[in-house]
């Protein structure tokens, strides 16, 4: 049995997006081949309403899927097709932009002014870039959850894990999207298919991910046991961990426990051409999308 190596780890960086929303970006834009089929990941966590209330006014998407997972506060959304709704704490929206959609997302804090959520962009293969737009909205109460004997809790947004399947389906990259909570001091081994790219994003507590080969990062001291694997220090909040190939991930929770997202997907291995929220395979397709925006044919 092979264990996934930690390829790299780093902390999400402050970013300004939308109409002035302050968030933290773990990865996105440029070369994201190591995360393929995922393109971008943002943590929009904030306790200051002035830093997020301006929101993300009307903007286009084509060629991708956006996955929004809300932990605190609400997100009002609407689009050019007439869809309207609100995501509350624990809810998920999986939007397949396909051939094109124009929408907006306006965050609102909870009673204490807190807003917390994540947005992940998944790429679409060339064969589905121009598919019809589609929404999947899931209430938090409908997300499958499993609890292991040691108290580890895993919410399954999409994909199959420990014999249960998440409510989001029909997604091109067949992603597995998990919200994992490991109790204080526990050590947990989580399976991940060798054919997938995988990453973890730590957003509460602390812990370390153990590693069977030399990780690229600062190593903490070991206890001196001969068979002890090296440990990468991941105690900082908003830490992104990118894994190498293997069939399992092992995490050692710190004294407060650890909570993180574990996301994996099958690489598409296709060319990527970016223009903000429009992601196609070639520059010619990007130019066509921009022309569609100019002449009013972007929405079909």
């Amino acid at each position: 049995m092979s264990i996934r190596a930690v390829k790299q780890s780093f902390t999400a960086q402050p970013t300004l997006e939308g109409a002035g929303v302050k968030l933290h970006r773990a990865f996105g834009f440029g070369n994201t081949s190591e995360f393929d089929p995922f393109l971008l990941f943002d943590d929009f966590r904030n306790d200051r309403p002035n830093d997020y209330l301006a929101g993300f006014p009307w903007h286009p998407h084509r060629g991708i899927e956006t996955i929004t997972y809300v932990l605190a506060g609400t997100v009002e959304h609407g689009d050019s097709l007439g869809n309207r709704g609100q995501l509350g704490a624990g809810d998920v929206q999986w939007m397949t932009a396909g051939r094109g959609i124009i929408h907006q997302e306006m965050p609102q804090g909870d009673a204490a002014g807190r807003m917390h959520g994540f947005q992940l962009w998944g790429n679409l293969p060339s064969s589905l870039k121009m598919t019809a737009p589609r929404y999947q909205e899931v209430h938090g109460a409908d997300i499958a959850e499993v609890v292991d004997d040691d108290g580890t809790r895993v919410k399954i947004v999409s994909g199959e894990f420990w014999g249960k399947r998440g409510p989001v389906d029909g997604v091109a990259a067949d992603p597995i999207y998990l919200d994992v909570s490991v109790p204080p001091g526990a050590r947990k081994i989580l399976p991940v298919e060798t054919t997938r790219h995988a990453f973890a994003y730590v957003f509460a507590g602390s812990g370390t991910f153990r590693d069977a080969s030399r990780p690229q990062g600062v190593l903490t001291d070991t206890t001196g046991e001969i068979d002890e694997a090296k440990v990468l220090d991941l105690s900082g909040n908003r830490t992104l961990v990118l894994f190498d190939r293997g069939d399992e991930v092992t995490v050692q929770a710190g004294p407060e426990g650890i909570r993180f997202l574990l996301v994996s997907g099958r690489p598409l291995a296709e060319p990527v051409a970016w223009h903000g929220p429009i992601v196609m395979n070639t520059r010619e397709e990007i130019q066509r999308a921009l022309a569609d925006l100019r002449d009013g044919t972007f929405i079909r």
Side-chain angles (χ1 to χ4, degrees):
M1 179 176 291
S2 60
I3 300 175
R4 285 183 172 246
V6 176
K7 292 188 74 172
Q8 57 182 298
S9 67
F10 43 92
T11 301
Q13 296 301 306
T15 304
L16 199 65
E17 276 292 354
V21 177
K22 293 182 180 179
L23 50 80
H24 282 74
R25 176 156 295 154
F27 66 87
F29 300 111
N31 182 6
T32 57
S33 59
E34 290 187 305
F35 295 94
D36 181 18
F38 307 110
L39 298 163
L40 176 147
F41 181 81
D42 284 344
D43 177 350
F44 52 95
R45 182 186 341 179
N46 208 305
D47 296 337
R48 293 164 50 93
N50 287 341
D51 289 345
Y52 60 76
L53 284 178
F56 307 91
W58 299 102
H59 57 281
H61 282 290
R62 176 178 283 183
I64 65 174
E65 298 180 293
T66 64
I67 303 97
T68 305
Y69 181 26
V70 177
L71 295 184
T74 61
V75 176
E76 302 274 355
H77 67 89
D79 67 33
S80 52
L81 302 178
N83 298 302
R84 297 286 186 275
Q86 182 184 84
L87 301 176
D91 295 347
V92 173
Q93 180 194 79
W94 205 294
M95 183 186 77
T96 303
R99 63 193 178 211
I101 198 167
I102 298 175
H103 79 148
Q104 67 172 354
E105 299 152 302
M106 306 302 289
Q108 300 287 328
D110 61 14
R114 296 171 301 183
M115 180 71 232
H116 189 190
F118 307 105
Q119 187 165 97
L120 174 69
W121 291 7
N123 203 4
L124 284 170
S126 56
S127 59
L128 294 175
K129 289 287 190 186
M130 299 299 285
T131 193
R134 176 192 180 204
Y135 280 102
Q136 296 184 70
E137 294 194 10
V138 179
H139 292 297
D142 296 325
I143 295 177
E145 182 177 49
V146 289
V147 182
D148 208 1
D149 292 343
D150 65 356
T152 296
R153 309 179 74 90
V154 180
K155 294 182 179 180
I156 308 165
V157 175
S158 70
E160 188 170 345
F161 188 80
W162 284 350
K164 289 195 176 183
R165 189 161 190 87
V168 176
D169 61 10
V171 179
D174 188 28
I176 296 176
Y177 189 121
L178 309 174
D179 178 347
V180 182
S181 298
V182 181
R187 181 172 183 261
K188 202 67 189 173
I189 298 176
L190 306 169
V192 181
E193 292 180 22
T194 57
T195 56
R196 294 172 173 267
H197 283 167
F199 69 88
Y201 184 75
V202 180
F203 63 94
S206 64
T208 54
F209 288 85
R210 303 184 71 83
D211 185 78
S213 63
R214 184 179 180 183
Q216 300 175 12
V218 178
L219 297 176
T220 63
D221 292 335
T222 61
T223 62
E225 296 295 331
I226 294 176
D227 62 349
E228 184 175 37
K230 294 178 179 180
V231 178
L232 186 65
D233 182 7
L234 298 174
S235 59
N237 197 11
R238 296 190 175 98
T239 300
L240 177 77
V241 186
L242 176 63
F243 298 104
D244 209 334
R245 295 305 176 97
D247 58 10
E248 62 184 36
V249 167
T250 303
V251 59
Q252 175 68 54
E256 322 85 35
I258 187 171
R259 187 176 179 188
F260 59 96
L261 302 180
L262 180 60
V263 181
S264 64
R266 294 195 179 100
L268 300 180
E270 293 186 355
V272 175
W274 292 84
H275 186 85
I278 299 172
V279 184
M280 305 301 287
N281 295 107
T282 66
R283 295 308 304 174
E284 291 76 15
E285 291 171 329
I286 292 292
Q287 294 302 320
R288 192 175 309 127
L290 296 178
D292 289 347
L293 280 169
R294 288 192 299 269
D295 63 25
T297 59
F298 189 81
I299 305 301
R300 304 179 183 180

